[in-house]
Amino acid sequence: MNMFHKLFCTCEEASLLSTMKEEGKVGISTRLRLWMHVQVCHFCKIFHLQNQRLNKLVNESKTRQSIVASAEIKNKWKSELTSTKQE
Amino acid sequence: MNPSERGTQWVDDHGDLLFRFAYQRTGSRQTAEDLVQETLLSAFKSLDTFKEEASDRTWLMRILRNKIIDHYRKTRTKQKDDEASQKKEVSMDAFFDETGGWMPDKRPEAWSEQPDEVVEREQLGDALNGCIDKLKGKGASAFRMKYIEDEDAEEICKVLDITPSNYWVLIHRAKLQLRDCLDQSYFKELKAFDAE
């Protein structure tokens, strides 16, 4: 582990903290370490911004997703139900 | 309405919701179809004991949720080398070196701005959904439950039978994979196209 990672946190930790921060699961001192890391680490700064953008994109895509059961499987379920006896 | 008609009505009224609920938690159409079928049959067989205190939908969802928990417990029992497989599943080796720094080929590069055109936004949305579909295992389930279904962490840990620390590692890895996939499948393609 190099001096930079000793003083702040590693990129691996920073990327994890970036995600944990979404749920407010990160204390003030850890947030400060993340903030300091992101100020000096070009790649983690990009990751942090892209992580936030991903959340926004996933949120937008929710409305576009239409996960439905096929007519074929619905007929199969109905057929199983009609051929089953109650206990 | 006789029991048989009621069962058929369940499929029409709640089939899609039950399927979507199971699919988001298992990431597999086949597993989701099987779990919904088991749920409908369980409910149908025990219709006499249903006290009608809750709606049919709430009752069916409760049964399905328990079926999903059982599914993950059975999967876990089947995996004799579960600890090893979990460790493998949450490995970050592909993204970070031994010092915790980014691997050279995984270092994030800036993305282009949000596209204005509807078509481009749809392409980006399709690429994102394609990448979400590529996520595998419990990481995929944890991701879908958190970001698509807005479930809280406690519920996700319960359903997937995982610890809170494992939950964060799964979510973290899923995010890394998703970012990387979108980078490769959309933003780098876009950059190459613009450079032509």
Side-chain angles (χ1 to χ4, degrees), chain A residues 65-74 77, chain B residues 14-21 23-24 29 32-33:
Chain A
Q65 286 198 340
S66 56
I67 298 164
V68 291
S70 65
E72 193 186 344
I73 192 69
K74 282 182 182 170
W77 292 338
Chain B
H14 314 299
D16 285 331
L17 176 78
L18 294 168
F19 177 74
R20 187 167 153 263
F21 187 85
Y23 179 75
Q24 298 288 25
R29 287 193 84 89
E33 286 172 4

Side-chain angles (χ1 to χ4, degrees), chain A residues 23 55 58-63 65-68, chain B residues 16-27 57 61 64-65 68 132 140-153 155-156 159-160 167 171:
Chain A
E23 282 192 23
N55 292 347
V58 171
N59 207 30
E60 285 171 5
S61 86
K62 274 188 215 175
T63 50
Q65 286 198 340
S66 56
I67 298 164
V68 291
Chain B
D16 285 331
L17 176 78
L18 294 168
F19 177 74
R20 187 167 153 263
F21 187 85
Y23 179 75
Q24 298 288 25
R25 279 151 183 78
T26 62
R57 179 174 142 166
M61 290 293 273
L64 177 58
R65 184 179 170 276
I68 294 168
I132 293 173
S141 302
F143 180 88
R144 287 171 188 278
M145 287 172 77
K146 174 172 163 58
Y147 291 100
I148 298 172
E149 296 285 309
D150 297 320
E151 289 283 6
D152 62 40
E155 169 72 6
I156 298 171
V159 171
L160 299 183
Y167 160 80
I171 291 288

Side-chain angles (χ1 to χ4, degrees), chain A residues 15-26 51, chain B residues 168:
Chain A
S15 59
L16 170 64
L17 293 173
S18 169
T19 299
M20 289 179 81
K21 196 166 162 261
E22 292 165 14
E23 282 192 23
K25 299 284 182 191
V26 180
N51 203 17
Chain B
W168 278 114

